[in-house]
Amino acid sequence: MKRKLLKQMRTEWQENLWLIIELSVVFLAIWGMSVVLWSISRGIFEPFGSDPDDVYSLTTQYFKKDSPFYVEGDSTKEFYQNDLRQLVNALRKNPNVAAVAVHNNALPYELSNYGNRLWLVKEEDSVGYGGNFRYATPDIIDVLGVKSLTGSNSGQLKEILRKGELLISNNPEYEKDGKNPNSLIGKQVIMGSDSSTVYRIGDVVQLIRRTEYEAANLGGVIVPMPEDETLWGNVILKLKPGTESRFREEFRDNPDLRRYRNVYLSDLVSLKDMRMLVQKKDEVTIRTYMSMMLCLLITVFLGLVGTFWFRIQQRISEIAIRKVCGASRKNIFRRIIGEGMILLLCSTVIALVCAYPFLSDFEDIVAESFMIYMDSFDDLTEKLILGGATFIIIALGIIISLWCPAHRAMKIEPAIAVKDE
């Protein structure tokens, strides 16, 4: 039956050629749209690395000597740092607060690119560990819910930071070069070209990503900020569940929570509000492309229904003759579906061959348009998987488009079907 089917398809090559071209264009359109949609939304399926629930950010402000609220005293950095330290202690004593930390560029949703590379001190390694640097006091572990990838608990992670050691994260770029971040635990490193300070890697934690939609590319480094020494940056705190309204009232009414001498805290903002503001554009973009994909699939499906409905209508007499010759409904249906799958397979091969020379340029356009890190976007396996999904979607559309007219055609009596022949 297969040989006869292929022979018949060769006989009808002109009609089939136009259908193959049509299916090739459909395949490229759906495949290209799926690649774009996956590229801008793949981050949703990766661990975020922190828990934004009940977490709030406070901006640290300083009164200068020219301010009418300035309190006379030493104006050195140590003076301001001590004032900030007193404010942090007051927040910790509040019954609504679970944990407080001081940080610089440590929060998700800040979209900070500040970072550098870590290089091993005593071992030659041409591959440096690149990542965003997040400076914070040890309690950042409890505030953001940072998780270890080696089984360490939060207490052990905080102790590592108190000892002045670094916490690094999983790193797609580093791992792509065949390296394992776990192998750096216990090693001594320097930051960039600055060899004056040597750090020790204490543990590997889950990467704190910048947004939930941005795919991970580089790693992250939590750099300890000793509270009894240099304390600088903004304040972040985690409230106990269900205490937000009470804390907001106390923060508004109690000046001791907001100010100590020449340092004051302002702009109490939840991480959920920050997430909404930062990710709004990404969410709109993803919804737009999802709508475009849905419209494309509906248009393609309607086109397939019309094309194959007309194709079956032209073959009603052929189906009737096959029934008279003893072919079962099942065999006829298998033949019709088989022809559709062969046409789709041919169109898929042609589409892939035609698209391959332009794939690199297409990647560059998508990466530049949506500011996607190329190493996280350049994954041929993912594109082939999306190509397979595209094939399945079109195949289902063809089967549905063929089933209804074929089922109707097989109900027609042979005498009626061939009366005009």
Side-chain angles (χ1 to χ4, degrees):
M1 185 183 73
K2 294 181 180 178
R3 292 180 181 178
K4 292 181 180 180
L5 176 59
L6 293 175
K7 185 177 180 180
Q8 180 183 355
M9 294 180 68
R10 284 198 301 269
T11 303
E12 302 171 347
W13 68 271
Q14 289 181 326
E15 180 183 351
N16 291 332
L17 178 61
W18 287 110
L19 188 53
I20 288 174
I21 294 175
E22 178 185 345
L23 291 175
S24 298
V25 173
V26 167
F27 182 90
L28 288 174
I30 297 178
W31 186 37
M33 185 65 74
S34 64
V35 169
V36 173
L37 188 57
W38 170 251
S39 301
I40 62 179
S41 63
R42 57 178 294 183
I44 301 174
F45 305 97
E46 299 177 2
F48 186 55
S50 61
D51 180 14
D53 291 340
D54 300 315
V55 178
Y56 294 81
S57 173
L58 287 163
T59 303
T60 303
Q61 306 281 359
Y62 302 91
F63 289 124
K64 303 298 182 181
K65 284 187 175 181
D66 57 352
S67 170
F69 301 102
Y70 180 77
V71 177
E72 290 296 332
D74 191 356
S75 61
T76 61
K77 289 185 178 179
E78 290 76 11
F79 178 78
Y80 287 117
Q81 290 167 6
N82 182 65
D83 289 353
L84 178 58
R85 194 174 293 112
Q86 295 299 325
L87 269 178
V88 170
N89 290 333
L91 287 170
R92 284 194 179 125
K93 294 176 182 178
N94 188 281
N96 302 309
V97 176
V100 184
V102 180
H103 76 95
N104 189 16
N105 296 323
L107 296 186
Y109 312 120
E110 282 190 331
L111 304 182
S112 171
N113 285 317
Y114 176 72
N116 208 325
R117 289 193 177 272
L118 301 179
W119 300 94
L120 292 173
V121 174
K122 297 183 179 180
E123 300 179 29
E124 292 187 2
D125 193 340
S126 59
V127 180
Y129 178 98
N132 294 327
F133 287 2
R134 304 177 182 274
Y135 293 83
T137 55
D139 282 333
I140 194 70
I141 302 299
D142 291 333
V143 174
L144 292 182
V146 179
K147 302 296 182 183
S148 171
L149 295 181
T150 62
S152 301
N153 57 40
S154 60
Q156 292 170 323
L157 293 179
K158 289 191 290 184
E159 185 59 30
I160 288 173
L161 292 177
R162 290 191 183 99
K163 292 189 296 184
E165 299 179 359
L166 305 180
L167 293 176
I168 62 173
S169 72
N170 53 302
N171 188 328
E173 181 200 45
Y174 192 70
E175 294 165 6
K176 187 175 181 179
D177 291 320
K179 302 292 183 177
N180 187 350
N182 289 10
S183 64
L184 296 176
I185 297 178
K187 301 291 182 65
Q188 291 183 324
V189 296
I190 59 174
M191 295 181 180
S193 59
D194 182 11
S195 59
S196 61
T197 305
V198 177
Y199 296 89
R200 184 176 184 274
I201 304 297
D203 202 357
V204 179
V205 298
Q206 184 67 55
L207 173 64
I208 302 175
R209 288 167 41 219
R210 301 197 313 166
T211 73
E212 295 170 10
Y213 297 105
E214 183 182 64
N217 44 72
L218 297 175
V221 182
I222 300 180
V223 184
M225 184 188 300
E227 287 194 26
D228 55 348
E229 298 177 13
T230 304
L231 193 66
W232 54 285
N234 295 321
V235 175
I236 180 174
L237 53 87
K238 187 176 185 67
L239 298 179
K240 296 177 181 178
T243 62
E244 176 188 358
S245 58
R246 290 201 302 270
F247 179 78
R248 284 187 178 276
E249 291 178 3
E250 290 188 31
F251 186 77
R252 180 191 62 206
D253 299 334
N254 187 355
D256 293 336
L257 293 177
R258 302 193 309 271
R259 176 185 174 182
Y260 185 84
R261 294 170 64 87
N262 292 320
V263 176
Y264 68 97
L265 303 175
S266 63
D267 303 329
L268 179 64
V269 181
S270 70
L271 251 62
K272 287 187 175 181
D273 290 338
M274 292 175 61
R275 174 175 61 186
M276 181 179 65
L277 293 174
V278 171
Q279 297 186 165
K280 184 176 181 180
K281 181 180 178 181
D282 293 333
E283 291 172 353
V284 170
T285 301
I286 291 174
R287 284 198 297 267
T288 300
Y289 277 87
M290 288 181 67
S291 301
M292 293 171 61
M293 173 64 89
L294 181 60
C295 292
L296 176 61
L297 292 177
I298 293 174
T299 303
V300 167
F301 177 72
L302 294 177
L304 291 175
V305 168
T307 299
F308 286 103
W309 187 286
F310 178 78
R311 190 180 179 88
I312 294 297
Q313 290 300 112
Q314 299 295 107
R315 294 188 171 185
I316 289 180
S317 58
E318 177 188 331
I319 294 172
I321 293 172
R322 292 188 182 281
K323 288 176 65 178
V324 171
C325 294
S328 65
R329 293 167 61 92
K330 182 178 180 181
N331 288 337
I332 295 174
F333 189 72
R334 285 172 57 188
R335 184 184 182 89
I336 293 172
I337 297 298
E339 183 180 10
M341 293 301 101
I342 291 174
L343 291 173
L344 175 59
L345 183 61
C346 293
S347 65
T348 300
V349 173
I350 293 174
L352 292 176
V353 171
C354 293
Y356 185 77
F358 306 99
L359 187 59
S360 178
D361 293 334
F362 177 68
E363 291 175 351
D364 292 340
I365 293 173
V366 175
E368 183 177 353
S369 300
F370 299 100
M371 294 183 290
I372 300 171
Y373 187 72
M374 283 304 299
D375 283 349
S376 65
F377 179 66
D378 187 16
D379 192 331
L380 183 60
T381 302
E382 290 181 354
K383 295 179 182 63
L384 291 177
I385 292 174
L386 292 173
T390 301
F391 181 90
I392 293 173
I393 291 172
I394 299 176
L396 290 175
I398 291 176
I399 292 173
I400 295 173
S401 301
L402 286 171
W403 186 87
C404 292
H407 182 71
R408 180 175 177 273
M410 283 185 283
K411 283 185 174 181
I412 301 175
E413 292 297 329
I416 299 176
V418 298
K419 66 180 181 179
D420 295 329
E421 297 293 327

